[in-house]
Each structure stands twice: as structure tokens, then as C-alpha cells.
Amino acid sequence: MKIAAISDIHGNIYALMKVLEDIDDERVDLVVCLGDLVGYGPHPNEVVALIKRREIPCIKGNYDASIVDGAFTFIRDTSINSFALPWASEEVRASNKYYLSELPTELNYDIKGIKIKFTHGSPNRINEYLFEDSNETKKVMENLEEDILVCAHTHIPSYKKFNNKTFINVGSVGKPKIGRPNATYCIININEDKNIDVKFKEIEYEYKRIVKDAQMLNFPSQLVASYESGNE
């Protein structure tokens, strides 16, 4: 069973289209989206429409939840978010807000007897950052009932074994923090022997297109520059 896990698209339709092209080439059995379809980028409605059209199972990210309630409930109150949250709240159509509001906060699969939990932040909180070497991650993995935890939210891909448990963070399609502008996602392959193979993919896309769109909409220069640098 070959699974592609994507997350943190953040209104970047160009990165999403390129990643989905690569996923199609990989001939996966299942695509799962870990949320944050909206926020930051200038094309939130297009991203939601494409995820819906492809019928990709999706969970709710912290920015999705914040757009729905229109407040800093699940996101940090920063200078960038003070622009991006009200802009996206105004831009996202009512039907798409309803779609985001109805998304689950986790997805669970049993594949060949291997249990997988998909979350955005952590199983505890939608906006908890899980870095591979943090104490929070260690505690989460100690308490994890499933065999694999697949999460996102940090925008940094990572993979680590915790005894017999597997921790995976899939990175970000639309707002990477890897020091390069490329989109990242993860492929998880569970073979007949129940061995788990994890592969991260880094995909180039025409990031200058989103830079141009953001500039035309007078997005903050710090936000525009992040698409070029691959940093926050």
C-alpha cells in the first residue's frame, strides 16, 4: 500500500498542482491531506476546489479552523497573520468555510494490520508543534496506540523511530521552511511483510508565479519573500 501524505498548502495553488502531478506519476493507492489548505497564499478557494475535486481525504488544520472562526484561536498573533487572517477570512467563500468547518481533526487507517493516525499538529492539539527531537514528541509517541503517527504543522519534513513506533512529519506543500522554495510531501509504503518505507519528495514549482500574484495583491513584503527563500 503506497500512501502520499500532503499538508500545509496555504493557498498556494501552483505548488499543489505540481505536487499532485508528481503524486500521479508515483501511482499511489491513497492520498491524504493533513490540512491548512488556506492562509498566507493568494489562492485559497482554488486550493479547496482542487482538493474537493480530487476527493482527497482531508483533516482540519489550525489555520483552517482559524479562518472558520475568524479569530486567532489556533494561530499565532503575528504581523504576518494580522494581515493573512483577515484577508483569507474575507476571501474564502462561505461554501468553502463550511467545508473546512466540517473536516475531521484526525484520520485513522488500518493497512495490513498496521495502524496509522493522521493529525495536523498532534493527537493532543491541532496547533501543537511536534519536532522529531522534542520532549513533546517523545511523550506523544510513548502514548501513541497506533503504529505510525503522520503529522505536519511545522513545515519541516522529518522521520524518526521511537522503539516500535514511527513518527513522520510530512513538511509543507505551499509554505516550506527548508531554506529552499520547493514543495515537500511524503510517500509511505507498507509492503506485504508490513515493512514501512518512508520517502520525502522535494518538488520544484514556479514559485515566481505566486510571488507575482502576492505582490499584485499588495501582500506584506516579508510574506512575499518567504516564497523565494523557503523560510518563515
Side-chain angles (χ1 to χ4, degrees):
M1 180 80 169
K2 195 175 183 182
I3 305 167
I6 63 175
S7 190
D8 293 274
I9 302 157
H10 286 298
N12 188 338
I13 189 64
Y14 306 122
L16 177 60
M17 289 191 298
K18 201 68 177 178
V19 164
L20 290 177
E21 286 179 11
D22 191 75
I23 287 172
D24 289 342
D25 290 340
E26 286 281 354
R27 299 184 181 276
V28 303
D29 302 295
L30 174 67
V31 183
V32 179
C33 179
L34 279 63
D36 271 6
L37 307 184
V38 301
Y40 300 126
H43 302 292
N45 291 304
E46 291 86 345
V47 166
V48 173
L50 184 51
I51 293 292
K52 289 165 68 175
R53 185 162 68 247
R54 294 282 297 247
E55 298 182 341
I56 296 173
C58 188
I59 58 180
K60 186 186 301 178
N62 63 303
Y63 224 115
D64 302 326
S66 294
I67 292 300
V68 169
D69 69 16
F72 291 96
T73 312
F74 303 101
I75 63 173
R76 294 169 294 163
D77 188 353
T78 65
S79 59
I80 292 297
N81 284 337
S82 67
F83 166 83
L85 176 65
W87 187 91
S89 292
E90 180 71 21
E91 183 74 10
V92 176
R93 299 188 188 106
S95 60
N96 288 334
K97 284 184 180 179
Y98 177 76
Y99 167 79
L100 295 174
S101 72
E102 293 296 297
L103 292 176
T105 55
E106 64 178 46
L107 287 171
N108 294 278
Y109 291 87
D110 188 321
I111 299 170
K112 304 181 190 298
I114 301 293
K115 294 181 179 180
I116 309 177
K117 180 182 289 292
F118 293 90
T119 65
H120 181 73
S122 83
N124 302 324
R125 297 198 314 275
I126 193 173
N127 60 347
E128 182 175 22
Y129 289 95
L130 292 183
F131 297 99
E132 62 178 290
D133 293 323
S134 70
N135 288 329
E136 291 81 7
T137 303
K138 182 180 178 181
K139 292 175 183 176
V140 165
M141 296 306 293
E142 286 174 351
N143 295 320
L144 185 71
E145 296 180 0
E146 292 78 13
D147 302 292
I148 305 173
L149 175 65
V150 187
C151 64
H153 186 49
T154 67
H155 298 205
I156 301 171
S158 58
Y159 159 69
K160 188 174 182 177
K161 297 288 289 187
F162 289 82
N163 295 320
N164 60 336
K165 308 286 184 179
T166 301
F167 167 81
I168 302 167
N169 190 308
V170 305
S172 171
V173 169
K175 193 73 165 53
K177 297 179 184 177
I178 57 172
R180 298 176 297 282
N182 302 332
T184 60
Y185 78 98
C186 182
I187 291 180
I188 306 155
N189 201 352
I190 302 173
N191 64 28
E192 295 297 331
D193 296 325
K194 299 184 180 180
N195 291 321
I196 302 164
D197 179 65
V198 178
K199 178 173 67 173
F200 295 107
K201 300 209 68 177
E202 184 174 327
I203 307 299
E204 295 182 357
Y205 76 100
E206 296 178 79
Y207 67 87
K208 290 184 179 180
R209 295 181 69 185
I210 196 168
V211 167
K212 182 179 179 180
D213 290 354
Q215 288 173 333
M216 288 177 63
L217 291 166
N218 295 315
F219 277 26
S221 58
Q222 183 183 350
L223 176 54
V224 175
S226 69
Y227 292 113
E228 297 176 300
S229 67
N231 293 307
E232 188 171 11

